[in-house]
Amino acid sequence: MAIKHNDGVELAKSPTRVKPPSMYKVLLLNDDFTPMEFVVVVLQQFFAMDHERANRVMLQVHTEGKGVCGLYPKDVAATKVAQVMDFSRRHQHPLQCVMEEN
């Protein structure tokens, strides 16, 4: 499709392509001090998991060293990481939450 300006010059309209935003995995990392029950609470409260799924992810964190909490756009992932870290510190737990590009 061409666009005609007042000066008589016709410009071809180039198609605009918008790619989807990069997605980031939010991960919990295992430590030897944070209680398993606290990890389940974090997963339920910040990642809207039901009790069964939260338990599965918590066991993955415990046995494999890390577990995926969800996949989010960068700003949402960063917010979730900050919320989990703040909540953990307020409850005096060393739980680590990180994000990595998918």
Side-chain angles (χ1 to χ4, degrees):
M1 172 182 229
I3 300 172
K4 192 164 186 159
H5 291 277
N6 291 336
D7 58 5
V9 177
E10 225 175 274
L11 302 174
K13 186 175 180 183
S14 61
T16 304
R17 290 192 177 127
V18 179
K19 68 175 191 171
S22 297
M23 300 299 279
Y24 289 77
K25 288 190 277 189
V26 176
L27 305 161
L28 289 181
L29 306 179
N30 189 41
D31 64 71
D32 293 331
F33 304 102
T34 304
M36 292 178 180
E37 297 80 16
F38 183 79
V39 175
V40 170
V41 168
V42 166
L43 291 166
Q44 290 177 311
Q45 184 169 337
F46 295 101
F47 301 98
M49 292 184 188
D50 61 32
H51 190 73
E52 183 180 324
R53 181 162 180 233
N55 268 311
R56 280 196 311 266
V57 174
M58 177 273 297
L59 288 172
Q60 182 183 22
V61 171
H62 181 69
T63 59
E64 298 175 23
K66 64 182 176 180
V68 177
C69 304
L71 192 61
Y72 305 95
K74 186 176 186 177
D75 57 340
V76 175
T79 300
K80 294 224 177 254
V81 167
Q83 289 173 331
V84 170
M85 294 293 288
D86 180 59
F87 185 75
S88 297
R89 297 308 163 266
R90 281 189 283 126
H91 288 87
Q92 300 177 346
H93 295 297
L95 182 64
Q96 292 293 306
C97 186
V98 297
M99 61 189 249
E100 63 182 38
E101 193 164 8
N102 192 27

